[in-house]
Amino acid sequence: MISLHQLCMSFGSKLLFYDVTLSLNNNTRYALIGANGAGKSTFMKLLSREEEPISGTISIAKEETVGFLRQDQYRYENTNIVDVVIQGKTKLWEALCEKETLLSSGEWDDAMAHRLGDLEDIINHWDGYSAPAFAEKLLVGLGVHPNYHYQPLKSLSGGYKLRVLLAQSLFQQPDILLLDEPTNHLDILSILWLEKYLKTEFRGILIFISHDMEFVNRLAHFILDVDYGEIRQYSGNYQKFIAEKKIIEEQKLSLRKNIEDKIADMQRFVDRFKASATRAKQAQSRVKMIDKMELPDIKHSSRIAPHFQFSPHRPSGKIVLKAKGLGKSFKDKVLFQGLNFEINRGEKIAIIGENGIGKSTLIKILIGKLTNDTGHYEWGHETKIAYFSQDHHDTLDHKSSAFHWLNEQISHLPEQKIRKALGQVLFSKDDTEKSILTLSGGEAARLLLAKMMLETANVLVLDEPTNHLDLEASEALAHALSHYAGTVIFVSHNRHFIHHIATRVFFLSRKKGLIDRKGKYDLQDFQDFIDA
């Protein structure tokens, strides 16, 4: 159990939360949610003892271990990947290393033999002889191919290195596991595996941050909401939490209005009779009552959603895109080949599949940023395309303010319209003057989406648009795209996002090529792709 008593924390001059008193129970999963900058990651650092609170206490039993997803892959660059995972259990790893040193020593005596026996006890206690098999199971589940397991970590790309560190945190099997955005850099298949593992095999306290609503809904027993300078606990899924929070807010507003109405009524009595000889005493009594009445403090939520709205200037032709025999390889690796499809006006196509299969590459070929090796494609009549890049730096590489960059990109529109679009995606007047090189991931994503709004295209092509958006922004974007009159082609691993937008799914499979499924996609259907 974790006990929090009157916990208070700030970041610089900003008070994040105060007087937090909670008990977090064993074998329970908690989703920690809140607006960007509300204090979620700071709260995780307090639990992991990386930071100390301003005041209050965090009580965790001495024998309980705390594990968290570290993002320090650079220290392991030359270490075999399986060994990186096994280092999640520090005592086991130290015993294995010391045993290897003893056995490779040219000398031998009774003390060394006695020490070897002690090391064997430690290794057995930590299930050391099954450790490589367990590590490999975790790596395979998270999408790291067995061919890499005994290669150094530097042989993997950045996203896959983080998968290895996630496997390390799971291998530790701690009593308390802290995961900050564990689904980042995972594809749908790996997310499904992780979700199942945490539900069926992890037995401790799990506290996690995620912008993937479906991951939150399917995993969390409770929601910990960081808002209003508080951390309040709600039971159930995200939708239930939103409904309950709304009721609480409405109750507070109703209570405040009732008190304000009583004060106004009494004040009218005072104003009318304070000079009356017969009723002045009653008026004075009401003055004292007014002085004693306290209005509940209705603070503003830190959670706010942008307003996205995409409107095509004119519709495209009926056939938006045709592709025949598309293929692409990098060096000796074939990403995909023989892709055939036709996309019609108004369809909303989700492109999914494991990482490295070529989803982003296919997108870049279709918009002309890469060339295909085989086959051909053709855009239909009157198509106008707007593109959202997964790598924001592909586009946002100028030393200018957010406003000036957007003004340069959409130079034909009046300044007022550009500033309105920036306001819709939550850029304050001061924010619009920030250098785009200093924007957070969420701010950069919203700036690119503002550009797409102003382009009035009839085809939107988006590559992982929710990666840096919070839950509120992801929901707002899903709503806008589902009501958009044009055609949408998007890559995503966010099942909730796909479910609410896609009318058709392209699944890229190594075994079967392109699997094309039409119709609204149900969340449980994603399980079908595991064996595809």
Side-chain angles (χ1 to χ4, degrees):
M1 177 184 286
I2 303 173
S3 295
L4 311 174
H5 182 65
Q6 295 182 336
L7 197 66
C8 179
M9 190 61 184
S10 66
F11 183 77
S13 60
K14 179 183 179 182
L15 184 65
L16 297 177
F17 44 80
Y18 60 92
D19 198 25
V20 176
T21 299
L22 289 170
S23 293
L24 307 181
N25 298 318
N26 295 331
N27 302 320
T28 307
R29 301 185 295 269
Y30 299 88
L32 184 66
I33 67 172
N36 291 339
K40 302 186 298 296
S41 294
T42 300
F43 180 67
M44 295 286 237
K45 289 177 181 177
L46 292 175
L47 295 178
S48 66
R49 305 296 191 189
E50 288 186 57
E51 295 188 11
E52 292 295 324
I54 292 175
S55 61
T57 58
I58 301 173
S59 299
I60 300 173
K62 288 184 178 180
E63 66 274 9
E64 292 193 327
T65 55
V66 179
F68 54 95
L69 176 55
R70 302 176 184 273
Q71 307 220 2
D72 54 353
Q73 64 266 33
Y74 301 107
R75 63 180 287 200
Y76 300 110
E77 286 288 272
N78 296 307
T79 304
N80 279 354
I81 287 167
V82 164
D83 291 342
V84 174
V85 176
I86 294 174
Q87 287 183 47
K89 293 182 179 178
T90 304
K91 292 182 180 178
L92 169 62
W93 178 250
E94 290 173 349
L96 289 170
C97 291
E98 187 177 346
K99 177 185 174 181
E100 184 177 345
T101 301
L102 279 177
L103 292 177
S104 62
S105 173
E107 301 177 0
W108 197 255
D109 55 30
D110 289 345
M112 294 171 70
H114 181 72
R115 180 56 183 164
L116 183 62
D118 291 341
L119 292 173
E120 290 288 357
D121 289 341
I122 295 171
I123 293 169
N124 281 320
H125 174 75
W126 293 102
D127 298 321
Y129 292 105
S130 62
F134 181 38
E136 290 179 18
K137 171 190 172 181
L138 295 172
L139 289 167
V140 169
L142 291 171
V144 180
H145 196 276
N147 290 348
Y148 290 95
H149 289 183
Y150 290 89
Q151 293 187 31
L153 186 66
K154 65 183 179 183
S155 63
L156 297 177
S157 64
Y160 276 91
K161 289 176 183 178
L162 292 175
R163 294 186 188 211
V164 174
L165 296 184
L166 177 55
Q168 183 190 72
S169 66
L170 298 178
F171 180 88
Q172 185 180 351
Q173 297 176 298
D175 299 299
I176 300 163
L177 179 59
L178 311 174
L179 297 178
D180 191 345
E181 296 289 4
T183 62
N184 276 2
H185 308 289
L186 297 185
D187 52 48
I188 283 179
L189 305 187
S190 300
I191 292 172
L192 284 167
W193 180 89
L194 177 62
E195 185 181 281
K196 182 178 179 182
Y197 178 86
L198 292 172
K199 286 178 74 171
T200 62
E201 298 193 41
F202 181 71
R203 292 287 180 266
I205 298 176
L206 172 64
I207 303 171
F208 67 97
I209 300 169
S210 180
H211 66 265
D212 185 330
M213 189 181 299
E214 189 58 25
F215 190 75
V216 171
N217 281 342
R218 294 168 75 91
L219 200 56
H221 295 123
F222 294 94
I223 302 289
L224 298 178
D225 178 40
V226 186
D227 200 6
Y228 300 112
E230 305 172 332
I231 303 180
R232 185 185 289 265
Q233 180 174 303
Y234 298 82
S235 63
N237 64 19
Y238 184 80
Q239 281 73 23
K240 184 180 177 184
F241 145 71
I242 289 294
E244 188 175 343
K245 182 172 181 174
K246 185 177 181 181
I247 289 172
I248 292 172
E249 290 173 347
E250 288 173 349
Q251 288 173 341
K252 286 182 177 180
L253 288 170
S254 178
L255 175 62
R256 184 182 178 96
K257 186 176 185 306
N258 287 338
I259 295 175
E260 286 175 337
D261 288 345
K262 287 181 181 178
I263 290 174
D265 186 57
M266 287 189 287
Q267 187 62 52
R268 283 192 292 271
F269 184 93
V270 170
D271 293 340
R272 183 178 179 183
F273 296 111
K274 60 184 177 182
S276 169
T278 58
R279 309 191 75 171
K281 189 173 182 180
Q282 291 175 292
Q284 188 60 36
S285 175
R286 281 168 172 74
V287 169
K288 293 179 180 179
M289 290 173 65
I290 291 172
D291 291 339
K292 291 179 180 180
M293 295 181 78
E294 292 185 7
L295 288 170
D297 185 16
I298 306 297
K299 302 169 187 170
H300 292 292
S301 171
S302 60
R303 188 173 286 111
I304 184 171
H307 176 65
F308 300 114
Q309 186 173 9
F310 305 97
S311 302
H313 179 65
R314 62 166 59 92
S316 67
K318 184 176 180 181
I319 297 176
V320 171
L321 176 63
K322 286 183 178 180
K324 183 73 173 177
L326 280 185
K328 183 67 178 179
S329 301
F330 280 114
K331 297 181 180 179
D332 296 329
K333 182 181 179 183
V334 177
L335 293 181
F336 52 79
Q337 56 187 355
L339 300 188
N340 303 304
F341 54 85
E342 182 177 298
I343 297 174
N344 295 318
R345 182 178 60 224
E347 288 192 300
K348 296 178 171 64
I349 312 289
I351 303 175
I352 66 175
E354 63 181 280
N355 284 355
I357 196 71
K359 303 184 298 295
S360 295
T361 299
L362 175 58
I363 288 283
K364 289 179 180 178
I365 288 172
L366 295 177
I367 64 168
K369 287 188 172 288
L370 290 175
T371 57
N372 45 302
D373 296 334
T374 59
H376 63 274
Y377 66 92
E378 181 182 1
W379 288 99
H381 181 65
E382 290 286 347
T383 54
K384 182 183 178 184
I385 304 164
Y387 171 60
F388 180 99
S389 172
Q390 178 180 174
D391 186 353
H392 301 157
H393 298 293
D394 285 352
T395 309
L396 302 175
D397 58 353
H398 299 269
K399 293 181 179 179
S400 62
S401 69
F403 169 75
H404 284 99
W405 177 84
L406 189 55
N407 192 39
E408 288 175 3
Q409 300 295 312
I410 315 291
S411 57
H412 63 282
L413 293 180
E415 177 180 325
Q416 183 179 5
K417 193 161 188 177
I418 292 173
R419 290 196 181 277
K420 179 182 177 183
L422 287 168
Q424 286 179 255
V425 299
L426 306 183
F427 276 79
S428 67
K429 185 176 180 180
D430 290 340
D431 290 338
T432 64
E433 299 306 317
K434 289 170 65 173
S435 168
I436 59 175
L437 298 178
T438 66
L439 298 181
S440 68
E443 288 172 328
R446 286 186 271 113
L447 179 58
L448 290 176
L449 290 167
K451 175 178 176 286
M452 294 183 77
M453 287 164 51
L454 294 170
E455 287 175 317
T456 63
N458 51 37
V459 180
L460 304 182
V461 180
L462 306 102
D463 191 359
E464 299 285 10
T466 65
N467 268 2
H468 297 283
L469 298 181
D470 57 26
L471 282 167
E472 288 72 30
S474 293
E475 276 290 273
L477 180 58
H479 178 80
L481 292 178
S482 66
H483 288 81
Y484 171 62
T487 305
V488 182
I489 304 170
F490 67 103
V491 174
S492 182
H493 62 261
N494 187 319
R495 290 162 293 168
H496 185 84
F497 189 75
I498 295 168
H499 170 67
H500 282 276
I501 300 168
T503 60
R504 188 175 172 190
V505 172
F506 288 175
F507 178 73
L508 295 182
S509 167
R510 295 194 190 281
K511 296 178 182 178
K512 300 179 182 179
L514 175 63
I515 300 173
D516 183 357
R517 295 192 179 174
K518 296 183 179 181
K520 195 70 177 174
Y521 211 67
D522 292 326
L523 293 170
Q524 61 266 27
D525 293 335
F526 286 103
Q527 193 70 34
D528 298 345
F529 288 130
I530 289 181
D531 299 320

